[in-house]
């Protein structure tokens, strides 16, 4: 097969074959970019008319990939899929098998999303929809820190990320838990910071209503600041453990942080040594305006739900464009849109997998799930085969996710029934089905055009879809040079290309 090279010119793109590189590079009318599948790609640069290098083409930029682990998968019909194993929902060996498959594929991290409530929504809604709730597998059945500590013992490289809310926790507790997990895993821990969008959590902590959206984010900002100080309160090398001298620690390296703020009063220090990563990796998923501002200030990984390339690029540039005012480089934040992947050797086989699992969602539960995502709206008052009404009540939960779903319904002209069928496996995230090449093409386009630094994979049903992704998609990405073939470094920060934070409370040496 002859070589191909894409030549970018003002009016579009030409594809020339065969190619004579020396002739083209001496031409003074165009600039060039190699086809990413070409073996020569990455060995040369775009040049201007004087032959000077003006831009590396980014061939050395590899994407990051993590995955969301929800028992039998993220699809609400996933637990009913023929190969699913829902009876192993509390079996640590099951979790280990899935995570080791992801580690075989060299994925960056496993993410356990958590909520401190069994179900979602208000008490009244749960009582009203109790039977519908019984059609769905809970998203979680084991406490995540215990589970991840156990998984750390049977894995070596993959990162271990989980959720902890800043609304119904205290900074000292969270700082201690994540510092301990980082030590147990030898530097592989990550904290998904959330402010709790689930009203059911409020009912488990003595409240009749949720904390207001703006107040939750104000508390979160101070919460994160306190946690950072606590992680830094024991400096690296503070515990010298000198048996002969009888000295365990150095007093000038152990600090009382004495934080006094609007929401918290914390003396410190933390009773766990500084984490191996300095700070566990900070992850965030909020896409509201306060959420994006918090991400620009503190997050190192952002999970998001973008349906279109244009929306992905807009979100990417928006969040990264806010970072400079906080003294941060855009490279210090990785944006990873969530994507549900159905992959097979043929497109028709992949689509059949999607259709099979989509047909396993009972209608009553589909309405309940959609109602919850839209902010507890009673959808039974509307025609299920008609469109969403134009004027919906204000959301009680995640505003950004609600906007994604409403925009999807409007853009695709979906009925309520079609909408719940569409999102039952993605909760507003993008779904893809196709061959390994088709999936890799989509991933490559988003990363190359500035809509993503990688992706958070949402397996629709487990363990099969994780095995499919590792066996089909990962090799195709590796073949293109877009994903690692071996783990680099020893910590999650190393794999994500993130620097180890400086100690914020240590005295200058």
């Amino acid at each position: 097969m002859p070589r191909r090279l894409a030549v970018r010119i003002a009016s579009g793109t030409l594809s020339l074959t065969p190619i004579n590189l020396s002739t083209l590079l001496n031409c003074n009318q165009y600039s060039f970019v190699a086809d990413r599948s070409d073996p020569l790609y990455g060995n040369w640069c775009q040049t201007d008319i004087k032959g000077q290098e003006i831009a590396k083409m980014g061939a050395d930029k590899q994407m990051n990939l993590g995955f969301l682990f929800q028992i039998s998968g993220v699809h609400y019909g996933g637990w009913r899929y023929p190969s699913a194993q829902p009876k192993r929902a509390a079996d640590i060996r099951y979790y280990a098998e899935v995570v080791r498959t992801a580690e075989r594929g060299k994925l960056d991290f496993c993410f356990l999303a958590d909520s401190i409530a069994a179900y979602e929504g208000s008490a009244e809604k749960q009582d009203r929809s109790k039977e519908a709730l019984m059609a769905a597998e809970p998203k979680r059945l084991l406490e995540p820190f215990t589970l991840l500590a156990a998984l750390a013992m049977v894995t070596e490289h993959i990162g271990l990320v989980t959720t902890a809310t800043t609304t119904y926790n205290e900074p000292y507790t969270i700082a201690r838990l994540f510092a301990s997990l980082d030590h147990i895993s030898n530097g592989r821990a990550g904290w998904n910071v959330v402010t709790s969008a689930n009203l059911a959590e409020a009912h488990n902590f003595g409240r009749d209503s949720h904390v207001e959206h703006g107040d939750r984010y104000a508390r979160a900002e101070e919460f994160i600041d306190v946690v950072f100080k606590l992680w830094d309160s024991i400096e690296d090398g503070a515990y010298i453990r000198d048996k002969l001298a009888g000295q365990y620690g150095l007093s000038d390296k152990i600090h009382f942080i004495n934080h006094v703020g609007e929401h918290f009063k914390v003396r410190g220090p933390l009773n766990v040594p500084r984490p191996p990563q300095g700070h566990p990796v900070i992850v965030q998923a909020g896409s509201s305006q306060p959420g994006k501002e918090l991400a620009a200030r503190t997050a190192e990984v952002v999970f998001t739900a973008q349906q279109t390339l244009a929306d992905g690029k807009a979100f990417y540039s928006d969040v990264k464009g806010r970072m400079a005012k906080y003294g941060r480089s855009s490279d210090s934040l990785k944006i990873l849109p969530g994507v549900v992947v159905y992959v097979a050797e043929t497109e028709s086989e992949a689509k059949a997998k999607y259709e099979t699992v989509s047909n396993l969602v009972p209608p009553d539960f589909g309405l309940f799930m959609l109602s919850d995502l839209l902010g507890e709206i009673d959808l039974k008052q509307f025609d299920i085969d008609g469109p969403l009404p134009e004027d919906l009540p204000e959301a009680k939960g995640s505003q950004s996710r609600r906007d994604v779903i409403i925009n999807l319904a409007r853009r695709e002209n979906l009925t309520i029934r079609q909408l719940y069928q569409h999102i039952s496996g993605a909760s507003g995230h993008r779904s893809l089905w196709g061959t390994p090449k088709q999936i890799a093409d989509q991933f490559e386009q988003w990363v190359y055009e500035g809509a993503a630094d990688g992706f958070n994979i949402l397996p629709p049903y487990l363990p099969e879809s994780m095995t499919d992704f590792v066996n089909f998609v990962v090799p195709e990405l590796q073949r293109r040079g877009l994903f690692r073939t071996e783990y680099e470094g020893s910590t999650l920060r190393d794999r994500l290309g993130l620097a180890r934070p400086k100690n914020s409370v240590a005295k200058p040496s």
Side-chain angles (χ1 to χ4, degrees):
M1 181 177 178
R3 288 200 182 284
R4 302 181 67 84
L5 189 76
V7 182
R8 290 185 176 174
I9 59 176
S11 61
T13 300
L14 301 176
S15 186
L16 304 182
T17 180
I19 191 72
N20 184 319
L21 284 178
S22 61
T23 299
L24 282 177
L25 291 175
N26 287 324
C27 177
N28 64 1
Q29 295 180 354
Y30 310 113
S31 58
F32 311 99
V33 56
D35 182 342
R36 284 173 176 260
S37 64
D38 193 301
L40 291 178
Y41 184 74
N43 294 329
W44 58 290
C45 303
Q46 191 175 19
T47 59
D48 65 11
I49 60 175
K50 296 179 181 179
Q52 298 174 330
E53 179 180 319
I54 59 172
K56 286 288 277 186
M57 295 316 301
D60 57 346
K61 179 179 180 180
Q62 293 189 331
M63 65 182 67
N64 296 107
L65 296 173
F67 85 100
L68 171 60
F69 195 164
Q70 288 184 186
I71 308 176
S72 296
V74 302
H75 200 291
Y76 283 106
W79 71 275
R80 301 178 66 196
Y81 198 78
S83 64
Q85 303 173 33
K87 292 184 179 180
R88 300 183 69 192
D91 183 350
I92 183 59
R93 293 167 296 184
Y94 168 74
Y95 292 88
E97 290 166 11
V98 174
V99 174
R100 283 196 293 246
T101 296
E103 189 170 62
R104 175 167 63 83
K106 314 302 180 186
L107 269 64
D108 290 272
F109 58 81
C110 160
F111 168 43
L112 294 181
D114 190 46
S115 173
I116 39 184
Y119 298 105
E120 299 184 1
S122 67
E124 296 80 7
K125 183 176 180 61
Q126 291 179 27
D127 291 341
R128 186 172 65 248
S129 306
K130 188 174 182 181
E131 289 306 314
L133 283 169
M134 296 303 104
E137 179 181 68
K139 293 182 179 179
R140 62 208 54 91
L141 285 180
L142 297 177
E143 188 279 315
F145 287 96
T146 307
L147 177 55
L148 289 179
L151 292 174
M153 298 297 94
V154 295
T155 56
E156 296 182 17
H157 306 288
I158 194 166
L160 303 168
V161 180
T162 192
T163 301
T165 175
T166 58
T167 303
Y168 302 113
N169 278 303
E170 290 295 318
Y172 198 98
T173 303
I174 295 305
R176 189 183 188 205
L177 285 168
F178 277 105
S180 296
L181 180 60
D182 207 45
H183 280 285
I184 290 168
S185 65
N186 293 317
R188 293 186 281 144
W191 173 22
N192 177 43
V193 181
V194 301
T195 64
S196 290
N198 182 6
L199 181 58
E201 295 186 34
H203 298 330
N204 289 338
F205 286 83
R207 295 184 59 92
D208 294 326
S209 61
H210 221 345
V211 179
E212 289 299 319
H213 189 265
D215 293 340
R216 296 202 310 269
Y217 275 96
R219 175 185 167 96
E221 288 192 17
E222 185 179 347
F223 191 111
I224 294 169
D225 288 342
V226 176
V227 169
F228 284 177
K229 291 177 185 178
L230 287 168
W231 283 336
D232 291 342
S233 65
I234 306 295
E235 291 186 38
D236 297 321
Y239 294 133
I240 58 174
R241 303 177 178 92
D242 188 333
K243 291 183 178 180
L244 292 178
Q247 186 171 7
Y248 196 93
L250 299 173
S251 61
D252 61 342
K253 290 182 176 293
I254 298 174
H255 306 277
F256 298 99
I257 65 170
N258 292 315
H259 175 90
V260 179
E262 181 180 352
H263 300 92
F264 305 107
K265 183 177 180 179
V266 182
R267 176 167 167 77
L270 194 64
N271 58 353
V272 181
R274 194 167 192 244
Q277 297 185 99
H279 299 170
V281 173
I282 302 300
V283 182
Q284 191 182 330
S287 297
S288 64
Q289 291 303 319
K292 287 188 283 190
E293 202 65 37
L294 183 62
R297 189 169 80 87
T298 64
E300 295 168 305
V301 174
V302 168
F303 297 149
T304 183
Q306 306 297 332
Q307 289 282 339
T308 68
L309 179 63
D311 287 346
K313 291 169 71 173
F315 180 87
Y316 188 95
S317 61
D318 182 4
V319 174
K320 295 214 173 191
R322 300 172 187 238
M323 297 176 68
K325 64 186 175 185
Y326 298 111
R328 300 185 64 197
S329 163
S330 62
D331 292 336
S332 64
L333 172 64
K334 307 296 181 182
I335 294 180
L336 308 180
V339 58
V340 184
V341 175
Y342 303 85
V343 64
E345 292 183 353
T346 68
E347 183 177 356
S348 60
E349 289 177 305
K351 188 172 183 180
K353 292 182 177 184
Y354 166 77
E355 291 173 345
T356 297
V357 72
S358 295
N359 289 331
L360 297 175
V361 179
D364 284 349
F365 180 77
L367 283 175
F368 171 81
M369 174 269 303
L370 180 58
S371 171
D372 183 70
L373 290 171
L374 291 175
E376 297 199 18
I377 298 168
D378 182 9
L379 294 174
K380 290 184 178 180
Q381 62 183 303
F382 306 117
D383 179 5
I384 193 172
D385 292 312
L388 279 177
E390 289 295 328
D391 298 322
L392 294 174
E394 184 177 349
K396 296 181 181 179
S398 172
Q399 295 176 357
S400 56
R401 186 59 47 82
R402 163 189 159 113
D403 290 342
V404 168
I405 293 169
I406 292 175
N407 290 338
L408 171 65
R410 304 279 189 258
R411 185 175 62 252
E412 303 293 336
N413 194 29
L414 300 176
T415 66
I416 292 174
R417 185 194 304 274
Q418 291 170 330
L419 182 59
Y420 86 65
Q421 288 177 336
H422 190 94
I423 67 171
S424 60
S427 298
H429 292 88
R430 190 162 171 245
S431 292
L432 296 175
W433 58 79
T435 66
K437 182 181 184 303
Q438 289 172 322
I439 302 299
D441 285 347
Q442 289 288 314
F443 281 19
E444 182 175 6
Q445 182 182 24
W446 277 55
V447 171
Y448 187 66
E449 295 195 22
D453 295 304
F455 299 91
N456 187 28
I457 307 305
L458 282 56
Y461 43 84
L462 290 168
E464 183 180 321
S465 57
M466 174 51 63
T467 302
D468 286 346
F469 186 84
V470 168
N471 289 348
F472 289 122
V473 181
V474 169
E476 177 63 20
L477 294 172
Q478 291 171 332
R479 186 189 69 78
R480 302 182 187 201
L482 296 172
F483 192 61
R484 68 171 65 87
T485 56
E486 295 294 339
Y487 282 108
E488 60 282 338
S490 60
T491 69
L492 179 56
R493 286 187 172 277
D494 292 335
R495 278 125 208 180
L496 294 171
L498 300 172
R500 190 174 190 264
K502 295 181 180 179
N503 193 306
S504 62
V505 302
K507 297 178 181 178
S509 56

